[in-house]
Amino acid sequence: MRPPNVNACVRRPSGATVSANKKIIMKKTNTTATHLFTSEAVSCGHPDKLADQLSDAILDAYLAHDPDARVASEILVTTDFVCLGGELRTQAEVDIDAVIRRTIAAIGYTGGVNRGFDAKTVQILNKMHAQSPEIAQGVDAGTRASEGAGDQGLMFGFACDETPELMPAPIHYAHAVLRHLEDLRRAQTPKQGALLLPDAKSQITVEYVHGRPTRAHTLLVSHQHTPQASQDALKEIILQAWHHVLPKGWIDDATRILVNPTGSFNLGGPAGDTGLTGRKIIVDTYGGYARHGGGAFSGKDPTKVDRSAAYAARYLAKNIVAAGLARQCEIQLGYAIGIAEPLSIYVETFGTSPHSATQLEATIRRSLSLTPRGIRMHLGLNAPIYLATASGGHFGRAAGSAGEGTFPWEATTLAASLRANLR
């Protein structure tokens, strides 16, 4: 018998509502019904995403010199100020101030583009400290093959066949429009008349019919812009961006399109709002379409299962869907600090698989080692690959802005093994 979800009430676009008292309180959604689902995304210049990128830039800098570095970097950004906290265990030496200023400049906060936050003049306060030896002794205990998880926790991974990337359509297109606008922003020249600035948010409400995404119900972008930019010009740019990324026919006469609903948006970034590492965990994952264990990713080295096991869970879920074993798959992994093997593996396919959850769980165990070391070795996570993850979502996308390669947990190389190991 499958364990119920006792954490919260969760409604799937094509499933039932399950309550904390373990009873089904609604019938399964009629597959002919129409419903709406909304997801949001934020740009690389959003204050929280800027903090995430700084945390991961620091992590990458240490991993580049020491693949076994232990790093947990937490950052706050606000007007003219960056504050670092967290822990380190490494012999590598990194010029953290230089990493921070270089990353801020690459995002676009330079030369007075955004008053109140500039890569050259920002104040930096570094309060990072050595990793607790009590944490280290749990992670390092036993042989290298049996090293324990860096913390307790539960992690979720998800995949579905709504897009070629096997991601839910709402979060996929919310990210896609901002990536397109980011490319336009970086291509601007002063001679052309720069309009777009780094801070932005998007949101899309998708209409589902028969359980499948069919059209855009509402499209929203709030984008920071230069004072001289006209609202009409901005709206035209953003409308064209939506047309560029959405499937043909998704925008129709009934689609509601909102651009900067409150009016002008000149003051943005950390000068307009404080940012913190790890505050956009739903944007980072599945846009609310699937569950989340609560742990953030950015700034954490891969001994932290908050990050590595969430990547592994996505890898497994995506490969199950890619292998044709299910159309939707959600996987939960549970860990305890200092213990190598996961405490639990839970698979949910929402009625889209001919195979039982027990069969799929056994197949997973036969196909991949889910110890922290096993995950890191299989996916190659002890490498400086993390800055690219910290903007645009950790799942369903290319590793770099130029589109080179994919993140290792996005590969579908395990699909054949999962099929072969199915009993």
Side-chain angles (χ1 to χ4, degrees):
M1 181 178 178
R2 303 297 297 142
N5 168 28
V6 297
N7 296 319
C9 289
V10 178
R11 182 177 295 179
R12 296 283 167 217
S14 58
T17 300
V18 181
S19 71
N21 65 8
K22 307 182 184 180
K23 294 179 181 178
I24 302 295
I25 60 172
M26 289 185 67
K27 294 180 181 179
K28 287 188 176 180
T29 303
N30 186 334
T31 56
T32 63
T34 298
H35 69 270
L36 305 176
F37 193 87
T38 300
S39 292
E40 71 161 347
V42 298
S43 71
C44 68
H46 185 280
D48 293 330
K49 277 288 113 193
L50 190 151
D52 283 342
Q53 289 164 93
L54 295 179
S55 290
D56 274 336
I58 290 168
L59 170 62
D60 279 356
Y62 280 105
L63 290 176
H65 296 288
D66 176 8
D68 294 318
R70 301 287 166 76
V71 183
S73 171
E74 309 282 351
I75 289 181
L76 175 148
V77 294
T78 190
T79 305
D80 291 325
F81 186 66
V82 174
C83 179
L84 292 75
E87 59 185 39
L88 289 167
R89 195 185 72 174
T90 179
Q91 297 300 312
E93 294 186 4
V94 169
D95 186 341
I96 289 179
D97 280 25
V99 170
I100 288 173
R101 294 187 192 282
R102 184 167 61 245
T103 305
I104 293 171
I107 291 168
Y109 289 113
T110 58
V113 165
N114 196 93
R115 62 186 184 276
F117 196 81
D118 189 288
K120 291 183 179 179
T121 59
V122 66
Q123 301 175 60
I124 301 171
L125 177 63
N126 185 350
K127 289 292 184 178
M128 295 189 74
H129 57 79
Q131 183 185 53
S132 162
E134 293 175 312
I135 294 176
Q137 72 184 3
V139 175
D140 296 339
T143 66
R144 291 292 290 176
S146 65
E147 63 189 24
D151 201 352
Q152 71 178 50
L154 53 140
M155 302 85 207
F156 286 94
F158 182 78
C160 64
D161 63 355
E162 292 183 5
T163 62
E165 296 78 8
L166 303 185
M167 285 289 286
I171 187 65
H172 173 77
Y173 293 117
H175 282 307
V177 73
L178 290 183
R179 283 196 295 271
H180 184 69
L181 289 167
E182 174 71 9
D183 290 342
L184 293 178
R185 177 176 73 86
R186 293 186 181 279
Q188 293 176 149
T189 65
K191 188 175 181 179
Q192 293 172 324
L195 298 179
L196 303 177
L197 294 178
D199 193 357
K201 300 179 76 172
S202 68
Q203 187 167 289
I204 178 172
T205 300
V206 174
E207 184 174 303
Y208 283 74
V209 179
H210 300 279
R212 305 299 292 176
T214 60
R215 63 179 291 272
H217 177 277
T218 302
L219 301 172
L220 167 61
V221 169
S222 294
H223 208 301
Q224 186 189 16
H225 57 87
T226 57
Q228 63 268 30
S230 73
Q231 290 301 303
D232 287 343
L234 195 65
K235 288 178 181 178
E236 182 61 27
I237 290 171
I238 290 170
L239 178 59
Q240 289 180 9
W242 280 119
H243 276 288
H244 180 82
V245 302
L246 288 174
K248 187 176 180 180
W250 270 41
I251 299 176
D252 55 33
D253 291 343
T255 300
R256 189 179 188 192
I257 300 172
L258 303 172
V259 177
N260 288 2
T262 62
S264 62
F265 181 10
N266 299 145
L267 181 64
D273 193 8
T274 297
L276 296 169
T277 299
R279 202 158 60 174
K280 286 291 177 285
I281 59 176
I282 302 304
V283 169
D284 283 344
T285 53
Y286 309 103
Y289 200 98
R291 285 173 283 196
H292 195 295
F297 302 154
S298 289
K300 296 177 181 177
D301 74 74
T303 67
K304 279 73 170 175
V305 284
D306 273 348
R307 182 168 219 160
S308 58
Y311 291 168
R314 161 64 178 174
Y315 178 62
L316 289 165
K318 183 174 183 180
N319 276 269
I320 284 173
V321 175
L325 303 181
R327 286 183 48 235
Q328 285 189 37
C329 183
E330 184 180 74
I331 293 175
Q332 186 203 57
L333 303 175
Y335 288 86
I337 189 169
I339 297 176
E341 293 290 340
L343 304 181
S344 62
I345 302 174
Y346 175 73
V347 180
E348 173 63 77
T349 57
F350 312 101
T352 68
S353 174
H355 310 288
S356 72
T358 301
Q359 286 178 297
L360 293 174
E361 288 166 13
T363 300
I364 286 170
R365 291 184 186 276
R366 287 189 285 264
S367 302
L368 180 66
S369 168
L370 288 171
T371 67
R373 179 172 172 79
I375 292 169
R376 296 202 316 277
M377 295 301 101
H378 186 89
L379 295 178
L381 298 184
N382 285 85
I385 60 174
Y386 296 105
L387 175 57
T389 70
S391 176
H394 292 244
F395 306 127
R397 54 177 286 259
S401 59
E404 67 276 15
T406 58
F407 298 134
W409 51 90
E410 290 298 306
T412 54
T413 49
L414 199 67
S417 294
L418 289 165
R419 282 193 297 265
N421 287 326
L422 192 62
R423 304 286 190 269

PDB file of all heavy atoms in Angstrom, residues 21-35:
ATOM      1  N   ASN A  21      -5.189  14.601   6.737  1.00  0.00           N
ATOM      2  CA  ASN A  21      -5.831  13.523   7.506  1.00  0.00           C
ATOM      3  C   ASN A  21      -5.867  12.221   6.717  1.00  0.00           C
ATOM      4  O   ASN A  21      -6.554  11.266   7.094  1.00  0.00           O
ATOM      5  CB  ASN A  21      -7.242  13.937   7.929  1.00  0.00           C
ATOM      6  CG  ASN A  21      -8.178  14.119   6.744  1.00  0.00           C
ATOM      7  OD1 ASN A  21      -7.825  13.794   5.609  1.00  0.00           O
ATOM      8  ND2 ASN A  21      -9.359  14.624   7.001  1.00  0.00           N
ATOM      9  N   LYS A  22      -5.085  12.191   5.613  1.00  0.00           N
ATOM     10  CA  LYS A  22      -4.842  10.981   4.832  1.00  0.00           C
ATOM     11  C   LYS A  22      -6.058  10.501   4.042  1.00  0.00           C
ATOM     12  O   LYS A  22      -6.096   9.382   3.573  1.00  0.00           O
ATOM     13  CB  LYS A  22      -4.332   9.844   5.729  1.00  0.00           C
ATOM     14  CG  LYS A  22      -3.126  10.205   6.584  1.00  0.00           C
ATOM     15  CD  LYS A  22      -2.673   9.008   7.397  1.00  0.00           C
ATOM     16  CE  LYS A  22      -1.530   9.400   8.328  1.00  0.00           C
ATOM     17  NZ  LYS A  22      -1.081   8.250   9.106  1.00  0.00           N
ATOM     18  N   LYS A  23      -7.068  11.311   3.888  1.00  0.00           N
ATOM     19  CA  LYS A  23      -8.243  10.908   3.135  1.00  0.00           C
ATOM     20  C   LYS A  23      -8.330  11.706   1.838  1.00  0.00           C
ATOM     21  O   LYS A  23      -8.011  12.882   1.794  1.00  0.00           O
ATOM     22  CB  LYS A  23      -9.516  11.143   3.955  1.00  0.00           C
ATOM     23  CG  LYS A  23      -9.615  10.266   5.204  1.00  0.00           C
ATOM     24  CD  LYS A  23     -10.909  10.582   5.960  1.00  0.00           C
ATOM     25  CE  LYS A  23     -11.030   9.735   7.226  1.00  0.00           C
ATOM     26  NZ  LYS A  23     -12.257  10.073   7.980  1.00  0.00           N
ATOM     27  N   ILE A  24      -8.806  11.046   0.799  1.00  0.00           N
ATOM     28  CA  ILE A  24      -9.099  11.770  -0.433  1.00  0.00           C
ATOM     29  C   ILE A  24     -10.330  12.619  -0.201  1.00  0.00           C
ATOM     30  O   ILE A  24     -11.389  12.100   0.160  1.00  0.00           O
ATOM     31  CB  ILE A  24      -9.367  10.795  -1.589  1.00  0.00           C
ATOM     32  CG1 ILE A  24      -8.159   9.866  -1.789  1.00  0.00           C
ATOM     33  CG2 ILE A  24      -9.678  11.543  -2.871  1.00  0.00           C
ATOM     34  CD1 ILE A  24      -6.921  10.561  -2.227  1.00  0.00           C
ATOM     35  N   ILE A  25     -10.198  13.929  -0.377  1.00  0.00           N
ATOM     36  CA  ILE A  25     -11.332  14.802  -0.084  1.00  0.00           C
ATOM     37  C   ILE A  25     -11.985  15.345  -1.349  1.00  0.00           C
ATOM     38  O   ILE A  25     -12.967  16.045  -1.281  1.00  0.00           O
ATOM     39  CB  ILE A  25     -10.906  15.969   0.822  1.00  0.00           C
ATOM     40  CG1 ILE A  25      -9.820  16.825   0.161  1.00  0.00           C
ATOM     41  CG2 ILE A  25     -10.433  15.448   2.156  1.00  0.00           C
ATOM     42  CD1 ILE A  25      -9.503  18.085   0.926  1.00  0.00           C
ATOM     43  N   MET A  26     -11.393  15.016  -2.516  1.00  0.00           N
ATOM     44  CA  MET A  26     -12.024  15.397  -3.775  1.00  0.00           C
ATOM     45  C   MET A  26     -11.867  14.248  -4.752  1.00  0.00           C
ATOM     46  O   MET A  26     -10.902  13.495  -4.702  1.00  0.00           O
ATOM     47  CB  MET A  26     -11.381  16.661  -4.365  1.00  0.00           C
ATOM     48  CG  MET A  26     -11.689  17.932  -3.608  1.00  0.00           C
ATOM     49  SD  MET A  26     -11.017  19.367  -4.464  1.00  0.00           S
ATOM     50  CE  MET A  26     -12.031  19.374  -5.929  1.00  0.00           C
ATOM     51  N   LYS A  27     -12.813  14.134  -5.662  1.00  0.00           N
ATOM     52  CA  LYS A  27     -12.671  13.151  -6.718  1.00  0.00           C
ATOM     53  C   LYS A  27     -11.537  13.559  -7.642  1.00  0.00           C
ATOM     54  O   LYS A  27     -11.162  14.722  -7.713  1.00  0.00           O
ATOM     55  CB  LYS A  27     -13.964  13.057  -7.520  1.00  0.00           C
ATOM     56  CG  LYS A  27     -15.145  12.503  -6.730  1.00  0.00           C
ATOM     57  CD  LYS A  27     -16.377  12.454  -7.620  1.00  0.00           C
ATOM     58  CE  LYS A  27     -17.582  11.929  -6.826  1.00  0.00           C
ATOM     59  NZ  LYS A  27     -18.801  11.889  -7.666  1.00  0.00           N
ATOM     60  N   LYS A  28     -10.997  12.576  -8.359  1.00  0.00           N
ATOM     61  CA  LYS A  28      -9.977  12.901  -9.350  1.00  0.00           C
ATOM     62  C   LYS A  28     -10.538  13.867 -10.384  1.00  0.00           C
ATOM     63  O   LYS A  28     -11.692  13.795 -10.753  1.00  0.00           O
ATOM     64  CB  LYS A  28      -9.483  11.628 -10.043  1.00  0.00           C
ATOM     65  CG  LYS A  28      -8.600  10.767  -9.146  1.00  0.00           C
ATOM     66  CD  LYS A  28      -7.985   9.639  -9.931  1.00  0.00           C
ATOM     67  CE  LYS A  28      -7.038   8.847  -9.039  1.00  0.00           C
ATOM     68  NZ  LYS A  28      -6.406   7.728  -9.792  1.00  0.00           N
ATOM     69  N   THR A  29      -9.649  14.772 -10.816  1.00  0.00           N
ATOM     70  CA  THR A  29     -10.085  15.785 -11.767  1.00  0.00           C
ATOM     71  C   THR A  29     -10.613  15.131 -13.041  1.00  0.00           C
ATOM     72  O   THR A  29     -10.001  14.218 -13.594  1.00  0.00           O
ATOM     73  CB  THR A  29      -8.903  16.706 -12.114  1.00  0.00           C
ATOM     74  OG1 THR A  29      -8.414  17.264 -10.902  1.00  0.00           O
ATOM     75  CG2 THR A  29      -9.342  17.811 -13.050  1.00  0.00           C
ATOM     76  N   ASN A  30     -11.743  15.593 -13.504  1.00  0.00           N
ATOM     77  CA  ASN A  30     -12.290  15.131 -14.786  1.00  0.00           C
ATOM     78  C   ASN A  30     -11.330  15.525 -15.896  1.00  0.00           C
ATOM     79  O   ASN A  30     -10.976  16.693 -16.034  1.00  0.00           O
ATOM     80  CB  ASN A  30     -13.662  15.785 -15.005  1.00  0.00           C
ATOM     81  CG  ASN A  30     -14.364  15.246 -16.234  1.00  0.00           C
ATOM     82  OD1 ASN A  30     -13.730  14.782 -17.170  1.00  0.00           O
ATOM     83  ND2 ASN A  30     -15.677  15.310 -16.224  1.00  0.00           N
ATOM     84  N   THR A  31     -10.901  14.549 -16.688  1.00  0.00           N
ATOM     85  CA  THR A  31      -9.900  14.838 -17.719  1.00  0.00           C
ATOM     86  C   THR A  31     -10.420  15.756 -18.809  1.00  0.00           C
ATOM     87  O   THR A  31      -9.652  16.272 -19.612  1.00  0.00           O
ATOM     88  CB  THR A  31      -9.401  13.538 -18.360  1.00  0.00           C
ATOM     89  OG1 THR A  31     -10.523  12.818 -18.875  1.00  0.00           O
ATOM     90  CG2 THR A  31      -8.657  12.685 -17.356  1.00  0.00           C
ATOM     91  N   THR A  32     -11.747  15.982 -18.867  1.00  0.00           N
ATOM     92  CA  THR A  32     -12.291  16.906 -19.860  1.00  0.00           C
ATOM     93  C   THR A  32     -12.411  18.321 -19.298  1.00  0.00           C
ATOM     94  O   THR A  32     -12.768  19.238 -20.016  1.00  0.00           O
ATOM     95  CB  THR A  32     -13.675  16.441 -20.327  1.00  0.00           C
ATOM     96  OG1 THR A  32     -14.583  16.447 -19.221  1.00  0.00           O
ATOM     97  CG2 THR A  32     -13.602  15.036 -20.902  1.00  0.00           C
ATOM     98  N   ALA A  33     -12.135  18.494 -18.012  1.00  0.00           N
ATOM     99  CA  ALA A  33     -12.296  19.800 -17.379  1.00  0.00           C
ATOM    100  C   ALA A  33     -11.182  20.749 -17.809  1.00  0.00           C
ATOM    101  O   ALA A  33     -10.091  20.335 -18.183  1.00  0.00           O
ATOM    102  CB  ALA A  33     -12.305  19.656 -15.868  1.00  0.00           C
ATOM    103  N   THR A  34     -11.478  22.029 -17.728  1.00  0.00           N
ATOM    104  CA  THR A  34     -10.486  23.067 -17.978  1.00  0.00           C
ATOM    105  C   THR A  34     -10.047  23.657 -16.649  1.00  0.00           C
ATOM    106  O   THR A  34     -10.873  23.904 -15.772  1.00  0.00           O
ATOM    107  CB  THR A  34     -11.087  24.178 -18.859  1.00  0.00           C
ATOM    108  OG1 THR A  34     -11.470  23.620 -20.114  1.00  0.00           O
ATOM    109  CG2 THR A  34     -10.081  25.296 -19.091  1.00  0.00           C
ATOM    110  N   HIS A  35      -8.760  23.851 -16.488  1.00  0.00           N
ATOM    111  CA  HIS A  35      -8.276  24.496 -15.266  1.00  0.00           C
ATOM    112  C   HIS A  35      -7.059  25.352 -15.609  1.00  0.00           C
ATOM    113  O   HIS A  35      -6.487  25.236 -16.701  1.00  0.00           O
ATOM    114  CB  HIS A  35      -7.926  23.457 -14.191  1.00  0.00           C
ATOM    115  CG  HIS A  35      -6.713  22.638 -14.521  1.00  0.00           C
ATOM    116  ND1 HIS A  35      -6.780  21.461 -15.217  1.00  0.00           N
ATOM    117  CD2 HIS A  35      -5.401  22.849 -14.262  1.00  0.00           C
ATOM    118  CE1 HIS A  35      -5.571  20.952 -15.367  1.00  0.00           C
ATOM    119  NE2 HIS A  35      -4.709  21.784 -14.804  1.00  0.00           N
TER     120      HIS A  35
END
